[in-house]
Amino acid sequence: MIRTLVGVLGAISTLFPDKIVGIFEKLAIANPSEGTVRGWVRPAVRSEGVLIAAISLFNGRAYTWLMNLTGLFGAIVLLFPDLYRRFATAFLYERPESIEWNERFKSAVRAIGALYVFLAAKTYRERHNDT
């Protein structure tokens, strides 16, 4: 079930990277018109989507690695949302100093982190119950 959901999300990112970036900016950034996303971001979203969708087709080491990485990222985002926001701003935007985050998005970042940790833990538990 989780693998299917992850695969569908990967496919959506592959097909609609501009929409994904637009939705993210609308929800996360207080002044989205002030910032310019770096040129490589949309192709990277698409590439990540292709990789996630492909990995999700198989339940092997690559999928295990993907879910472990998802859990690690989720834990970092859950525990350090401000660090995530600072890193994301510097990494994704050409003029990071012009970006203002929606303050309520901090709770959303934590919720996303908790969801990622939950999904990784559930996948880990399912993997170890099958052996």
Side-chain angles (χ1 to χ4, degrees), residues 3 7 29-30 41 45 54 61 64 67 76 83 85-86 89 95-96 105 111 113 116 127 131:
R3 202 162 39 102
I29 307 297
V41 170
V45 169
R61 285 182 179 225
T64 299
M67 292 311 293
I76 292 168
L83 178 64
R85 293 190 312 177
R86 282 194 306 272
T89 303
R95 291 183 16 252
F105 190 68
Y116 283 8
R127 212 173 38 244
T131 57

Side-chain angles (χ1 to χ4, degrees), residues 12 16-29 105:
I12 289 170
F16 308 106
D18 294 336
K19 293 277 189 198
I20 297 297
V21 171
I23 290 169
F24 172 79
E25 286 189 313
K26 186 179 282 187
L27 295 174
I29 307 297
F105 190 68

Side-chain angles (χ1 to χ4, degrees), residues 15 20-21 31 35-36 47-48 59 74 81 89 93-95 105 115 117 120-121:
L15 296 172
I20 297 297
V21 171
N31 60 342
T36 303
S47 299
E48 179 185 32
N59 195 15
T89 303
Y93 289 92
E94 289 183 6
R95 291 183 16 252
F105 190 68
L115 177 65
V117 169

Side-chain angles (χ1 to χ4, degrees), residues 62-130:
Y63 182 72
T64 299
W65 181 84
L66 174 67
M67 292 311 293
N68 289 340
L69 186 61
T70 298
L72 177 63
F73 178 75
I76 292 168
V77 169
L78 175 64
L79 297 172
F80 308 105
D82 292 329
L83 178 64
Y84 165 75
R85 293 190 312 177
R86 282 194 306 272
F87 176 77
T89 303
F91 193 63
L92 299 174
Y93 289 92
E94 289 183 6
R95 291 183 16 252
E97 68 279 357
S98 68
I99 301 301
E100 295 177 31
W101 288 82
N102 284 330
E103 208 38 53
R104 69 180 189 272
F105 190 68
K106 184 176 188 174
S107 298
V109 166
R110 281 202 161 119
I112 291 166
L115 177 65
Y116 283 8
V117 169
F118 170 77
L119 292 174
K122 185 169 178 7
T123 302
Y124 178 86
R125 189 177 67 234
E126 288 172 356
R127 212 173 38 244
H128 285 38
N129 286 341
D130 290 342

